Amino acid sequence: MGVAGDVRARRGDSSEENVMTERPASDPLRDYGYRQELRRSLSFRDLLVYGLVFMVPIAPFGIFGSVFQSSGGMVALTYAVGMVAMMFTALSYAQMARAFPMSGSVYAYAGRGIAPPVGFLAGWMILLDYVLVPGLLYLIAGIAMHSLVPAVPVWVWLAGFVVLNTAVNYTGIRMTARVNKVMLLAELAVLAVFVVIGVVALAQGRGRGFDFTPVYNGATFSWSLVFGAVSVAVLSFLGFDGISTLAEENKDSARAIGRSMVAALLLAGALFIVQTWLASLLVPDPDGLVGEGDPGGTAFYDAARVASGEWLATLTAAATAVAWGFANSLVAQAATSRLLYAMARDRRLPSFLARVHPRHRVPVNATLLTAAVSLGLGLYMNSRDDGVTLLSSLVNFGALTTFLVLHVSVVVHYLIRGRSRDYWRHLIAPAIGFAVLAYVVVNADIAAQRLGFVWLGVGVVVLAGLLLSGRRPRLAAVGSTDEPADSPTNGRTDGPSAGRPAAPPHGDPPAGPRQDG
């Protein structure tokens, strides 16, 4: 059905069931030359919880002051615009996840939707997000815990979080899913306490009372200001895309990946808007926060202190530390290991990263490498005064530029190659998403742009080296599935190695007469 699904896309049918590529639940990877190695045990609810935990429902707690300053106090508007921008990206993810239901995220989508070299560069750029974000989360959590317990240094907290998360992820994806549900309930409970107490405090006359300035302030409003703030706030939304890396562990249809992304984004966006609106009205010195910023990262906790005293400030600070250092970094480590696994399976990274644990069915070496990099990166950045800012900028730039490639992949795969007539999902929505994100990238921090383009340049050099050495990036061939299980490809069953001709490198079905309705 996989080849047939792509042929239907070539006909240009506009109906959802004909345009989209669905795969049978029994072995959806078979059409692409891969074996099913990871354990399929995640339901739609598991995927939704995973996305929410990855985004962290209380994510604005940690970066509220930075977003408040960069938006001129219009934090709720900033998160609303960010949610709309990310929604178009989620729609594009949904389209590509149904066409190519496999691990690898944009690396797989761009590689098969456009061309393998483009997929390599997309994977290279998203590594800037996925590989660095666990280190960023551990660092922020270590700093927060150190502020609560000064006797314990940051590096001890950081190392403890790394060891704990690695142990949970090593035991398998089902254990990770169980922990995710517990952590999500705990985060929502803390958020509910803040929202209820915040509303009561405003009703009792604390703060500056209820108004709409967090949504619109005519004295400071400009679109460039808002989109500049969105480039910072988007850090809170990163994580819904991590759901796509679990495509090979999803036990439902490929549609569940896209639906869970959209649902997670809507729920998290609504929570972000509510909590930042209330916090903005409780900030003790809004003019000072806009003018001087929040170097200590305590603006949200200061607002909580205004609402109900020191205990609420301590509760929100502790919740931030645990959410970022355990819950969020747990799923970030899982997503990163799946990306490394997918790229190693296609021989774009060292093959040892494609090893799957025989009992736990997780990419064990990729998981351990992610933990080691996170620990080393976190310890190094802790020694720098600008460690958190530098890592945040790099993570955001890597994610946003990769999302741009994702939107292009939708247009190329469906509209150009498949001749789809569904212009909304395969042209207009991706074009809007691309335009919004491009504007955000242009208004992003200059240092982030420079460092991001340096990383891209390194990727281009690596790609050029692969091409010059004759190791042109190629993906597993369509339809070849008979390679021995002990093959060194580790789950990748290429047509050439099985004695069959390879399919076109972009992942389309083998050449044949075009059927243009």
Side-chain angles (χ1 to χ4, degrees):
M1 185 176 179
V3 173
D6 281 336
V7 171
R8 282 198 300 270
R10 289 177 179 274
R11 292 175 180 166
D13 295 343
S14 58
S15 64
E16 179 179 27
E17 61 272 18
N18 288 337
V19 172
M20 297 307 159
T21 303
E22 292 292 339
R23 300 289 190 277
S26 58
D27 193 358
L29 298 178
R30 202 167 182 81
D31 291 340
Y32 295 104
Y34 296 125
R35 292 192 308 272
Q36 181 66 48
E37 293 189 295
L38 305 180
R39 177 178 283 117
R40 289 192 177 275
S41 59
L42 299 181
S43 64
F44 168 82
R45 181 179 299 177
D46 293 325
L47 296 171
L48 176 60
V49 170
Y50 178 93
L52 287 173
V53 171
F54 204 157
M55 283 190 284
V56 186
I58 58 175
F61 284 17
I63 62 173
F64 172 76
S66 298
V67 180
F68 192 99
Q69 180 190 33
S70 57
S71 66
M74 295 176 288
V75 189
L77 175 63
T78 297
Y79 275 104
V81 173
M83 181 179 68
V84 172
M86 290 297 101
M87 185 56 64
F88 286 105
T89 300
L91 294 176
S92 288
Y93 261 110
Q95 300 305 303
M96 298 308 287
R98 291 163 69 178
F100 306 110
M102 61 187 69
S103 297
S105 190
V106 180
Y107 158 71
Y109 304 154
R112 295 183 179 276
I114 303 177
V118 178
F120 174 84
L121 290 178
W124 184 265
M125 289 305 296
I126 205 171
L127 281 176
L128 201 59
D129 171 13
Y130 279 39
V131 172
L132 298 186
V133 75
L136 171 64
L137 298 172
Y138 290 131
L139 178 58
I140 291 176
I143 293 173
M145 290 303 294
H146 177 66
S147 68
L148 296 174
V149 188
V152 181
V154 172
W155 71 268
V156 173
W157 289 112
L158 195 153
F161 282 129
V162 171
V163 171
L164 177 61
N165 285 344
T166 303
V168 173
N169 277 320
Y170 184 83
T171 58
I173 194 65
R174 286 186 294 189
M175 175 60 72
T176 303
R178 294 189 192 104
V179 173
N180 285 344
K181 292 176 182 177
V182 174
M183 296 307 303
L184 178 61
L185 291 175
E187 292 175 32
L188 292 177
V190 172
L191 180 57
V193 169
F194 171 78
V195 169
V196 171
I197 293 178
V199 170
V200 172
L202 290 172
Q204 293 177 346
R206 297 175 197 158
R208 67 173 190 264
F210 184 83
D211 61 43
F212 287 91
T213 53
V215 177
Y216 178 78
N217 186 341
T220 60
F221 177 82
S222 73
W223 281 116
S224 61
L225 178 74
V226 172
F227 277 97
V230 169
S231 69
V232 178
V234 75
L235 180 64
S236 301
F237 289 101
L238 297 185
F240 76 90
D241 55 300
I243 296 174
S244 65
T245 65
L246 301 180
E248 294 180 29
E249 290 154 287
N250 164 41
K251 67 180 182 181
D252 297 328
S253 73
R255 295 169 182 258
I257 298 292
R259 289 202 305 265
S260 58
M261 284 186 182
V262 173
L265 191 60
L266 285 173
L267 289 173
L271 294 175
F272 293 165
I273 292 171
V274 170
Q275 64 191 273
T276 56
W277 194 330
L278 289 174
S280 298
L281 300 176
L282 292 166
V283 168
D285 183 15
D287 293 334
L289 185 56
V290 171
E292 301 175 10
D294 182 31
T298 61
F300 195 97
Y301 316 134
D302 294 337
R305 188 175 292 107
V306 170
S308 190
E310 192 64 35
W311 75 270
L312 187 58
T314 301
L315 175 65
T316 52
T320 300
V322 175
W324 287 57
F326 180 49
N328 193 6
S329 51
L330 176 71
V331 294
Q333 185 186 63
T336 303
S337 65
R338 271 62 176 180
L339 175 62
L340 296 176
Y341 162 79
M343 295 185 73
R345 183 175 59 181
D346 287 325
R347 301 174 187 171
R348 303 283 68 80
L349 292 176
S351 60
F352 82 94
L353 294 174
R355 180 178 179 270
V356 175
H357 193 282
R359 184 161 65 92
H360 299 306
R361 305 279 294 278
V362 296
V364 57
N365 289 341
T367 298
L368 295 176
L369 178 64
T370 301
V373 171
S374 300
L375 179 60
L377 187 67
L379 293 175
Y380 169 69
M381 288 298 177
N382 182 50
S383 67
R384 297 177 57 109
D385 293 334
D386 63 343
V388 173
T389 301
L390 179 60
L391 274 178
S392 300
S393 300
L394 288 172
V395 166
N396 286 350
F397 187 87
L400 294 178
T401 52
T402 305
F403 292 164
L404 294 176
V405 178
L406 170 72
H407 290 304
V408 175
S409 300
V410 174
V411 176
V412 172
H413 176 68
Y414 282 102
L415 194 71
I416 298 177
R417 285 209 186 112
R419 298 188 178 182
S420 167
R421 296 172 186 170
D422 189 344
Y423 296 114
W424 166 249
R425 285 185 295 186
H426 301 150
L427 177 61
I428 298 175
I432 294 174
F434 185 96
V436 173
L437 291 180
Y439 192 70
V440 172
V441 170
V442 169
N443 286 278
D445 181 72
I446 299 298
Q449 294 176 357
R450 290 173 179 170
L451 290 170
F453 280 118
V454 167
W455 177 256
L456 176 61
V458 173
V460 171
V461 171
V462 173
L463 176 61
L466 292 174
L467 296 176
L468 292 175
S469 64
R471 297 174 59 198
R472 178 181 177 84
R474 298 180 64 184
L475 301 176
V478 175
S480 36
T481 57
D482 57 356
E483 194 171 55
D486 59 353
S487 167
T489 57
N490 289 300
R492 177 178 179 268
T493 53
D494 286 349
S497 62
R500 302 183 184 183
H506 49 66
D508 276 356
R514 183 180 292 273
Q515 302 183 45
D516 301 329

